[in-house]
Amino acid sequence: MDSTKVALVTGAGQGIGRGIALQLASDGYHIAIADLAFQEDKARVVVKEIEELGRKAIFVATDVSKKEDIFAAVDAAAEQLGSFDVIVNNAGIAQVKPIEEISEEDLNKIFSINVNSVVFGIQAAAAKFTALGKKGKIISAASIAAVKGFPILGAYSASKFAVRGLTQVAAQELAPRGITVNAYAPGIVGTGMWDLIDEKLSEINGKSRGENLKENVESIMLGRIETPEDVAGVVSFFASPKADYVTGQVLLVDGGMLYN
Ligand SMILES: NC(=O)C1=CN([C@@H]2O[C@H](COP(=O)(O)OP(=O)(O)OC[C@H]3O[C@@H](n4cnc5c(N)ncnc54)[C@H](O)[C@@H]3O)[C@@H](O)[C@H]2O)C=CC1
Ligand SMILES: CC(=O)C(C)=O
């Protein structure tokens, strides 16, 4: 029987999620990639990259804002890959707007994708771990914006503060079942998300394209933009037995931007 552990990573068709999926595959996990249906082509490339590492991988079309989608993705991972050990609630979106312009629709959208998804991911994973008699690990995407509110990223910052709160709550509620719950807090990672933030900030403050990103990168003490692999190393740790005694934590992985 295949005793390989299984991890599900949301939003792994690109960016940080892809980096996490590849790292966990290198660590020995079979991987389920849960991303929006329109990302299927990109996700299939990641599936292939994982298979080249000698692991199994599947793509499950999933909208993380929908509870039934997340539960179905967890079921598919367990049934098709043979176990369920780790969920990484990574998928998220950014919104770039001054607080006075944030609409009710904006708030509903970002909270359903960045926050509701984390609640549903915790619920689905905890239920599956218990059904399989496993302890299991739940890991979610926070941000430096979960630790300090960032201007013009008001709704986004609020959503990431919520992820931090949920991580602390779930860690305490699930500890009696041996389930650990942690989150990673990246800084400025060179992905599609920051392309969007840079573009929208330029529209708001008139700086040329790339200028806002450059200024933010200049505030990183380690002197370079973050990569998905930088983030994936922290997730690898949280998923590993080395982190068995770590729960309820939000770990800054930002090259030295914020300090706690
Ligand atoms: N890029 C950065 O500088 C930082 C990113 N983060 C967080 O890391 C996570 C990943 O971000 P990136 O890789 O940079 O973003 P990205 O925009 O490059 O990738 C996000 C992925 O999530 C997927 N996604 C979006 N909405 C979804 C939905 N409703 N259902 C399923 N999948 C959905 C997208 O299709 C995409 O594959 C996000 O939660 C983000 O907030 C945190 C701090 C910094
Ligand atoms: C994208 C993100 O989380 C920040 C704060 O840059």
Side-chain angles (χ1 to χ4, degrees), residues 1 21 38 66 236:
M1 205 185 83
F38 88 91
K66 297 197 165 83
S236 171

Side-chain angles (χ1 to χ4, degrees), residues 8 10 34-37 60-74 87 89 91 108-124:
L8 180 145
T10 68
D35 208 318
L36 290 166
V60 192
T62 308
D63 178 345
V64 295
S65 67
K66 297 197 165 83
K67 181 173 179 176
E68 65 272 22
D69 277 22
I70 298 193
F71 275 72
V74 168
I87 191 166
N89 298 309
N108 288 338
K109 181 174 182 190
I110 200 163
F111 274 79
S112 72
I113 296 173
N114 289 10
V115 182
N116 297 8
S117 66
V118 173
V119 177
F120 303 148
I122 290 168
Q123 293 172 339

